[in-house]
Amino acid sequence: MPANATSLGWLGTGRMGAAMAGRLIDAGEQITVWNRTPAKTAPLAARGAAVAGTISDLASCDIVFVMVARPDDLEQVVCGEAGLLSADRRPAVIVDCSTVSAPVSASVRAAASQAGVEFLAAPVSGNPHVVAAGGACIVASGPAATFERVRPYLEQIAAVAVHAGDGEQSRLVKLCTNLYLGMIVQALVEVTSLAEKGGTSREAFLTFLNGTVLGSDWTRRRAGDLVARDWTPTFTTELLRKDFDLGLDAARSLEVPMPVASAVYQLIQSAVGTGMRDQDFLALYDQQARIAALEPG
Amino acid sequence: MPANATSLGWLGTGRMGAAMAGRLIDAGEQITVWNRTPAKTAPLAARGAAVAGTISDLASCDIVFVMVARPDDLEQVVCGEAGLLSADRRPAVIVDCSTVSAPVSASVRAAASQAGVEFLAAPVSGNPHVVAAGGACIVASGPAATFERVRPYLEQIAAVAVHAGDGEQSRLVKLCTNLYLGMIVQALVEVTSLAEKGGTSREAFLTFLNGTVLGSDWTRRRAGDLVARDWTPTFTTELLRKDFDLGLDAARSLEVPMPVASAVYQLIQSAVGTGMRDQDFLALYDQQARIAALEPG
Amino acid sequence: MPANATSLGWLGTGRMGAAMAGRLIDAGEQITVWNRTPAKTAPLAARGAAVAGTISDLASCDIVFVMVARPDDLEQVVCGEAGLLSADRRPAVIVDCSTVSAPVSASVRAAASQAGVEFLAAPVSGNPHVVAAGGACIVASGPAATFERVRPYLEQIAAVAVHAGDGEQSRLVKLCTNLYLGMIVQALVEVTSLAEKGGTSREAFLTFLNGTVLGSDWTRRRAGDLVARDWTPTFTTELLRKDFDLGLDAARSLEVPMPVASAVYQLIQSAVGTGMRDQDFLALYDQQARIAALEPG
Amino acid sequence: MPANATSLGWLGTGRMGAAMAGRLIDAGEQITVWNRTPAKTAPLAARGAAVAGTISDLASCDIVFVMVARPDDLEQVVCGEAGLLSADRRPAVIVDCSTVSAPVSASVRAAASQAGVEFLAAPVSGNPHVVAAGGACIVASGPAATFERVRPYLEQIAAVAVHAGDGEQSRLVKLCTNLYLGMIVQALVEVTSLAEKGGTSREAFLTFLNGTVLGSDWTRRRAGDLVARDWTPTFTTELLRKDFDLGLDAARSLEVPMPVASAVYQLIQSAVGTGMRDQDFLALYDQQARIAALEPG
């Protein structure tokens, strides 16, 4: 590595982290990785990544990406006793790709800032397969200059990397997409049940809808489950409610009325209370079919 | 053309009709065309289509496709004095690709049936460019056997052709997609305004959303207008209200509650009443921005 | 009766009609009555009313009040072959106290006008007991001068008599009160279920609410049924839906968004479709309790 | 006072407290009063009340009623250094008639319980005039035996006194009535604007509505303001939003969907954001009139 090159570290090589770090390797970057369970770094090491023995070792990289499962993990690997900020030589930038709430993000950012480290909140949309295939989407927030410094690497990882603002906006943007998802699914079950009660099968209706410009990768991916009424959870109704809790709290704080989102929120609550709590949120279809007095085919 | 082959007629060669008929020619079919303004048949004639002098001449084709602009036109070219049903030799099947209401469709179907002619209601989703590129989507209703007979040609015309039922279901399915569209746009403006009030530009937000699995061809196509707040009408708020009038009437008749669609209907009515009647329905953004006390950037 | 006095006729002496006509007698008016089933005029005759043998005989009164059960009846007794307008001597004013739709009202008004007879649409709020006790409420529409002419008698009949406009406004006002009633009941079941799930009995909650300035005669009268979950119909859910059909159609025609009324309409539709069609509309409580996962005490 | 009689104390003799304490005096009770600003006890003293020099002196009464303006005040006069619980001789029961949140109430109750003092949360509905005239309404929660012990006095104070449960239910019941109030006002402005756009004046419409069984003391009291569009605050839109914040939080915790209340919440938010924050919440009429494109008369 040339003396003036930027060195990259990757903390957290679970399924998502490994897929993302793999994209950097594929793009020709030399990276150093660390994971709590060291065995999980092996596949990346086999592809050329260096492996750090401790987080402190990783901390000497210029930019360290973090991809961990839970807010507690983030706080620990960054602010904890043996965390990135405790090392003698600290990174210039920490890029957190985990999905955490705005308050947690702000608190970690403050700690980093205190230690002279820049922080980018950069959650990702996409599952490991999509990420590996280059289809991920990253929304990042933090100082614009920091974003510009990291952008080349984000664009190696993902198809889209946007800068959402100077603070915790990326967290809100993620909530917004989940609010949008909840509204889409209710919209979908309303029109599907209407077409169905009019005599059109769910399959025919969804095939048509997905053929039009209104179809999305999501509606196409889930059409089969909706046709089969397969509510095996990909994301439970209760978890969707959690995102609505957070998203509508943010809307309240910002004084943004959300007429449709709040109507959907109440419908989600109804579903949670009438047996769909742990089912996939597509089960909103069953609630709609019930009030439509529709005997689903 | 072999003696036992099916002969195809095309009535109405405006922009959409010409694009659709052109798909049949490209697929190797020999077709005969007719248009009220004869000059509009010239480009198809140049590509090999025969041109009928009168509707009666066209009526001797086995299957006649109709693509006209208005319900009145449909009634006239099918049931009128010099219409398809008045000819000595009538087609076996009429396939109406126009967008008309269920009652008009049912009335033309009844007249055709009376005359021993089968009728398929087969509206199309897609603009002429999309159609020409093979991306159209057709939803057809009428007897299943009729659909099967016509299906090979529908699949030459469009990427997707589904059978929605034995009656006027295809009309309802079209309304359902427009109800879905209205709900999408309100969902979109709610989350966009929320992200924006939180500090994320519309452009950054929509770029991210469109990068995720929730993005659709429609949201991608219209993102630029939403960013630019360009409400030059592609489809006015008042026309969207008309589709909601019809769709929610159908829902009422079928006793299907539509909690979100009806909330959106009221928001559309508000927009119509406060200056957005003749603007593109994306102007729902302005209404949302107003109640969010958002000074749009 | 002095030569220049106004003579009053009353057509329709069912329970409501008799109660209303009785108020005029009690106020000292001399009235002539007619009823399809003559026996029903006897109690009023016993109190001093003259009885007309035919509608034609009644038609010679200056002002004829009409209180019949159905729109058809109204059209027949006014416009029919042996109706008020067919008589040689016609009344100066017909005051219709029945509850009919605006179009029927407008058509009868037009016929009356054609025959040189003024028409006041004057539906009543209150049941026969309330009417007899002087607590009725009348909303009338028609020419202001006509209203002023009839007002003294309306004020003998009812505690409140208001002029709503020159046309069919009184019909719309009646629909408005029923929309308001539907919204009240949904509001009531939402807060009742919330208090109840928090641990307060329906009885305690409703006793408190009815003790505050928010209580109305209606909420007080129905509290017992709500406590007992007695859905014996006073007015069915389906009939309430009918009033919402008409009221929201009027709102659509007038381009008045009704965000809450339309949300309630969808909830009424849900109730109709899930077994409450023929129950009293207070059964909306059961729907609310169900989605609140509340085991009603 | 007989040796075995119950002695009554009253802490807080502002306008509401004085009106309530006055009811006890009128009923023949001997009471002892205390107020932070001693002068405010004079009118009650003139009517026969004893005046305590300190809260400690008051604490020797068997039952002490508290009516203070703010949660902080409640905590101070009960749990503070010189509060009721700090006295050598403590009351058997504290009855808090203030309006505070459930958490504050629970915390004061816990402190009382710790000190061996029973606590009744007993907020009041009614203004000082209504209270003085005997029209108040009290909802109390706390142990049933405590309620029974205090009930005779509550019934001297108020026309209605109900027991809502063993815990903090009375706080929730108060929120429920305010949610109901918010829904009523939106319902009212929707139907008023509809009648008005149809040609009926607000005054005529409200006179009729208030004459029917749907009219309440509240709708009658406020009709004049609505007719005059006088938004001088009695209770601001922002304060109503606060009650909706609390009420809908409670509903969320209890998993009670509130479809209409949450729709109204969003409309209140819209009103807050578009200039009605500090106006009386009846100003929701202006918002409705605006979207109805109604030029208010």
Side-chain angles (χ1 to χ4, degrees):
Chain A
M1 189 188 302
N4 62 350
T6 299
S7 58
L8 303 179
W10 196 280
L11 192 164
T13 59
R15 289 180 63 228
M16 273 296 275
M20 295 173 79
R23 296 276 310 165
L24 291 173
I25 294 172
D26 290 348
E29 300 292 342
Q30 173 60 42
I31 66 171
T32 303
V33 303
W34 181 90
N35 196 64
R36 194 179 340 183
T37 308
K40 291 194 181 165
T41 59
L44 292 167
R47 289 162 72 185
V51 177
T54 65
I55 290 182
S56 284
D57 295 345
L58 195 72
S60 62
C61 293
D62 298 322
I63 301 176
V64 176
F65 294 85
V66 177
M67 184 67 185
V68 292
R70 297 158 43 82
D72 290 358
D73 299 334
L74 175 65
E75 286 176 323
Q76 194 189 344
V77 301
V78 176
C79 316
E81 258 183 51
L84 289 166
L85 300 180
S86 73
D88 289 340
R89 196 180 149 208
R90 296 164 190 155
V93 185
I94 294 174
V95 182
D96 174 41
C97 299
S98 317
T99 292
V100 301
S101 72
V104 168
S105 186
S107 127
V108 173
R109 182 189 301 277
S113 181
Q114 191 82 5
V117 176
E118 291 177 356
F119 184 82
L120 209 60
V124 185
S125 173
N127 63 35
H129 294 293
V130 168
V131 169
C137 203
I138 294 178
V139 55
S141 60
T146 308
F147 176 75
E148 289 307 325
R149 181 170 180 180
V150 179
R151 184 208 285 261
Y153 310 108
L154 298 178
E155 292 182 343
Q156 287 170 349
I157 296 170
V160 171
V162 300
H163 184 225
D166 289 346
E168 307 308 331
Q169 286 88 351
S170 58
R171 312 304 186 177
L172 178 59
V173 165
K174 280 280 285 181
L175 289 174
C176 285
T177 58
N178 281 0
L179 292 175
Y180 184 70
L181 173 59
M183 290 190 266
I184 294 280
V185 73
Q186 177 63 26
L188 194 65
V189 303
E190 289 188 15
V191 292
T192 301
S193 71
L194 176 54
E196 200 173 353
K197 204 163 182 193
T200 301
S201 71
R202 287 196 296 285
E203 182 165 21
F205 176 69
L206 293 170
T207 301
F208 176 72
L209 185 73
N210 280 328
T212 73
V213 291
L214 300 177
S216 66
D217 285 353
W218 184 84
T219 57
R220 281 184 280 267
R221 183 194 295 169
R222 300 306 307 278
D225 295 332
L226 191 45
V227 168
R229 297 184 52 238
D230 180 350
W231 314 142
T232 309
T234 61
F235 192 60
T236 66
T237 309
E238 189 168 27
L239 284 171
L240 183 64
R241 185 183 61 175
K242 178 73 181 160
D243 278 348
F244 270 70
D245 286 340
L246 297 173
L248 291 175
D249 267 3
R252 171 61 186 81
S253 299
L254 291 165
E255 298 200 326
V256 175
M258 303 286 281
V260 165
S262 79
V264 171
Y265 184 41
Q266 301 303 312
L267 291 164
I268 293 170
Q269 178 56 66
S270 297
V272 165
T274 53
M276 301 159 204
R277 187 186 299 267
D278 300 320
Q279 295 180 335
D280 191 79
F281 69 106
L282 268 187
L284 283 167
Y285 169 81
D286 276 355
Q287 173 168 269
Q288 172 65 17
R290 184 184 177 280
I291 61 175
L294 181 65
E295 203 56 59
Chain B
M1 189 188 303
N4 63 350
T6 298
S7 58
L8 303 179
W10 196 281
L11 192 163
T13 59
R15 289 180 64 228
M16 273 295 275
M20 295 173 78
R23 296 278 309 165
L24 291 173
I25 294 172
D26 289 347
E29 302 292 343
Q30 173 60 40
I31 65 172
T32 304
V33 302
W34 181 90
N35 195 65
R36 193 180 340 186
T37 308
K40 291 194 181 164
T41 60
L44 292 167
R47 290 162 70 185
V51 177
T54 65
I55 290 182
S56 285
D57 295 344
L58 195 72
S60 61
C61 293
D62 298 321
I63 301 176
V64 176
F65 294 84
V66 177
M67 184 67 185
V68 291
R70 298 158 43 84
D72 290 357
D73 298 334
L74 175 66
E75 286 176 323
Q76 192 189 344
V77 300
V78 176
C79 316
E81 258 184 51
L84 289 167
L85 300 181
S86 72
D88 289 339
R89 194 175 152 214
R90 296 164 190 154
V93 184
I94 294 173
V95 181
D96 173 42
C97 298
S98 317
T99 292
V100 300
S101 71
V104 167
S105 186
S107 128
V108 172
R109 182 190 301 278
S113 182
Q114 190 82 5
V117 176
E118 291 177 356
F119 185 81
L120 210 59
V124 185
S125 173
N127 62 36
H129 294 293
V130 168
V131 169
C137 203
I138 294 178
V139 54
S141 59
T146 309
F147 176 74
E148 288 309 323
R149 180 169 182 181
V150 178
R151 184 208 285 262
Y153 310 107
L154 297 178
E155 291 182 343
Q156 286 169 349
I157 297 170
V160 171
V162 300
H163 184 225
D166 289 347
E168 306 308 331
Q169 285 88 352
S170 57
R171 311 304 186 178
L172 178 58
V173 165
K174 280 280 286 182
L175 289 174
C176 284
T177 58
N178 280 2
L179 292 175
Y180 184 70
L181 173 59
M183 291 189 265
I184 294 280
V185 73
Q186 177 62 27
L188 193 66
V189 302
E190 288 188 16
V191 293
T192 300
S193 71
L194 176 54
E196 198 173 355
K197 203 162 182 193
T200 301
S201 72
R202 287 196 296 283
E203 182 165 22
F205 175 71
L206 293 170
T207 301
F208 177 72
L209 185 73
N210 280 328
T212 73
V213 292
L214 300 176
S216 65
D217 285 353
W218 184 84
T219 57
R220 280 184 280 267
R221 184 193 295 169
R222 301 305 307 278
D225 294 332
L226 191 45
V227 168
R229 298 183 52 239
D230 179 350
W231 314 142
T232 309
T234 62
F235 191 60
T236 66
T237 309
E238 189 168 27
L239 283 172
L240 184 63
R241 185 182 62 175
K242 177 73 180 162
D243 278 348
F244 270 70
D245 286 340
L246 296 174
L248 290 175
D249 266 3
R252 171 60 187 82
S253 298
L254 291 165
E255 298 200 326
V256 175
M258 305 286 282
V260 166
S262 78
V264 171
Y265 185 41
Q266 301 304 312
L267 290 163
I268 293 169
Q269 177 56 65
S270 298
V272 165
T274 53
M276 300 159 206
R277 186 186 299 269
D278 300 320
Q279 294 179 336
D280 191 78
F281 69 106
L282 268 186
L284 283 167
Y285 170 82
D286 275 355
Q287 172 168 268
Q288 172 65 17
R290 185 184 178 279
I291 62 175
L294 182 65
E295 202 56 60
Chain C
M1 188 187 303
N4 63 349
T6 299
S7 58
L8 303 179
W10 196 280
L11 192 162
T13 60
R15 290 181 63 229
M16 273 296 276
M20 295 173 78
R23 298 276 309 164
L24 291 174
I25 293 172
D26 290 348
E29 302 292 343
Q30 173 61 40
I31 65 171
T32 303
V33 302
W34 181 90
N35 195 64
R36 192 177 345 183
T37 307
K40 291 194 181 164
T41 59
L44 291 168
R47 290 164 70 186
V51 177
T54 64
I55 290 182
S56 284
D57 294 344
L58 194 73
S60 62
C61 293
D62 298 322
I63 301 177
V64 177
F65 294 85
V66 177
M67 184 66 185
V68 291
R70 297 158 43 84
D72 289 358
D73 298 333
L74 175 66
E75 286 175 323
Q76 194 188 343
V77 301
V78 176
C79 316
E81 259 184 47
L84 289 167
L85 301 181
S86 73
D88 287 341
R89 195 177 150 210
R90 296 164 191 154
V93 184
I94 294 173
V95 181
D96 174 42
C97 298
S98 316
T99 292
V100 302
S101 70
V104 167
S105 186
S107 126
V108 173
R109 182 189 301 277
S113 182
Q114 192 81 6
V117 176
E118 290 179 356
F119 184 83
L120 209 60
V124 184
S125 173
N127 62 37
H129 294 292
V130 169
V131 170
C137 204
I138 293 179
V139 54
S141 59
T146 307
F147 176 75
E148 288 309 324
R149 180 170 182 181
V150 178
R151 184 208 285 261
Y153 309 108
L154 297 178
E155 291 182 344
Q156 287 169 350
I157 296 170
V160 172
V162 299
H163 184 225
D166 289 347
E168 306 309 330
Q169 285 89 350
S170 58
R171 312 304 186 177
L172 179 59
V173 165
K174 280 280 285 182
L175 289 175
C176 283
T177 59
N178 281 0
L179 291 175
Y180 184 70
L181 173 60
M183 290 189 266
I184 294 280
V185 73
Q186 176 63 27
L188 193 66
V189 303
E190 289 188 15
V191 293
T192 300
S193 71
L194 177 54
E196 199 174 355
K197 203 164 183 193
T200 301
S201 71
R202 286 197 295 284
E203 182 165 22
F205 175 70
L206 293 170
T207 300
F208 177 72
L209 185 73
N210 280 328
T212 72
V213 292
L214 301 177
S216 65
D217 286 352
W218 184 84
T219 58
R220 280 185 281 266
R221 182 193 297 169
R222 302 306 307 276
D225 295 331
L226 191 46
V227 169
R229 297 183 52 237
D230 179 352
W231 314 142
T232 308
T234 62
F235 191 60
T236 66
T237 309
E238 189 169 26
L239 284 171
L240 183 63
R241 184 183 63 176
K242 178 71 181 163
D243 278 348
F244 270 69
D245 285 340
L246 296 174
L248 291 175
D249 266 3
R252 170 62 186 81
S253 298
L254 291 166
E255 298 200 326
V256 176
M258 303 287 281
V260 166
S262 77
V264 171
Y265 184 41
Q266 301 303 311
L267 290 163
I268 293 170
Q269 177 58 65
S270 297
V272 165
T274 55
M276 299 159 206
R277 187 185 300 266
D278 300 321
Q279 295 180 334
D280 191 79
F281 70 106
L282 269 185
L284 283 167
Y285 170 81
D286 276 355
Q287 173 167 269
Q288 172 65 16
R290 184 183 179 278
I291 62 175
L294 181 66
E295 202 56 57
Chain D
M1 187 187 304
N4 63 350
T6 299
S7 59
L8 304 178
W10 197 280
L11 193 163
T13 59
R15 290 181 62 229
M16 272 296 275
M20 295 174 79
R23 296 278 309 163
L24 291 174
I25 293 171
D26 290 347
E29 301 292 342
Q30 172 60 40
I31 65 171
T32 304
V33 304
W34 181 90
N35 195 66
R36 193 180 340 184
T37 307
K40 292 194 180 164
T41 60
L44 291 167
R47 290 163 70 185
V51 177
T54 65
I55 290 180
S56 285
D57 296 343
L58 194 72
S60 62
C61 293
D62 298 321
I63 300 176
V64 176
F65 294 85
V66 178
M67 184 67 186
V68 292
R70 297 158 42 84
D72 290 358
D73 298 333
L74 175 66
E75 286 175 323
Q76 194 188 344
V77 299
V78 176
C79 315
E81 259 184 49
L84 288 167
L85 300 181
S86 73
D88 288 340
R89 195 176 150 212
R90 295 164 190 153
V93 185
I94 294 174
V95 181
D96 174 42
C97 299
S98 316
T99 292
V100 301
S101 71
V104 167
S105 186
S107 128
V108 172
R109 182 189 302 277
S113 182
Q114 190 81 5
V117 176
E118 291 177 356
F119 185 83
L120 210 60
V124 185
S125 172
N127 63 35
H129 294 292
V130 168
V131 169
C137 203
I138 293 179
V139 55
S141 59
T146 308
F147 176 74
E148 289 308 324
R149 181 169 182 180
V150 179
R151 183 208 286 260
Y153 310 108
L154 298 178
E155 291 182 344
Q156 287 170 348
I157 297 169
V160 171
V162 300
H163 184 225
D166 288 347
E168 306 308 331
Q169 285 88 351
S170 57
R171 311 304 186 178
L172 178 59
V173 165
K174 280 279 286 182
L175 290 174
C176 284
T177 57
N178 280 0
L179 291 174
Y180 184 69
L181 173 59
M183 290 189 267
I184 294 281
V185 73
Q186 177 62 29
L188 194 65
V189 303
E190 290 188 15
V191 292
T192 300
S193 71
L194 176 54
E196 199 173 353
K197 204 164 182 192
T200 301
S201 72
R202 286 197 296 285
E203 182 165 22
F205 176 70
L206 292 170
T207 300
F208 177 72
L209 185 73
N210 280 328
T212 73
V213 291
L214 300 177
S216 66
D217 285 352
W218 185 84
T219 57
R220 281 185 280 267
R221 183 192 295 168
R222 302 305 307 278
D225 295 333
L226 191 45
V227 168
R229 296 183 53 238
D230 179 350
W231 313 142
T232 308
T234 61
F235 191 61
T236 66
T237 309
E238 188 169 26
L239 284 172
L240 183 64
R241 185 182 62 176
K242 178 72 179 162
D243 278 347
F244 269 71
D245 286 340
L246 296 173
L248 291 175
D249 267 3
R252 171 61 187 81
S253 297
L254 292 165
E255 299 201 325
V256 175
M258 304 287 280
V260 165
S262 78
V264 171
Y265 185 41
Q266 301 304 311
L267 290 163
I268 293 169
Q269 178 56 66
S270 298
V272 166
T274 54
M276 300 159 206
R277 186 185 301 265
D278 300 320
Q279 294 179 335
D280 190 79
F281 70 106
L282 269 186
L284 283 167
Y285 169 82
D286 276 355
Q287 173 168 267
Q288 173 65 17
R290 185 184 177 278
I291 62 174
L294 181 65
E295 202 56 59

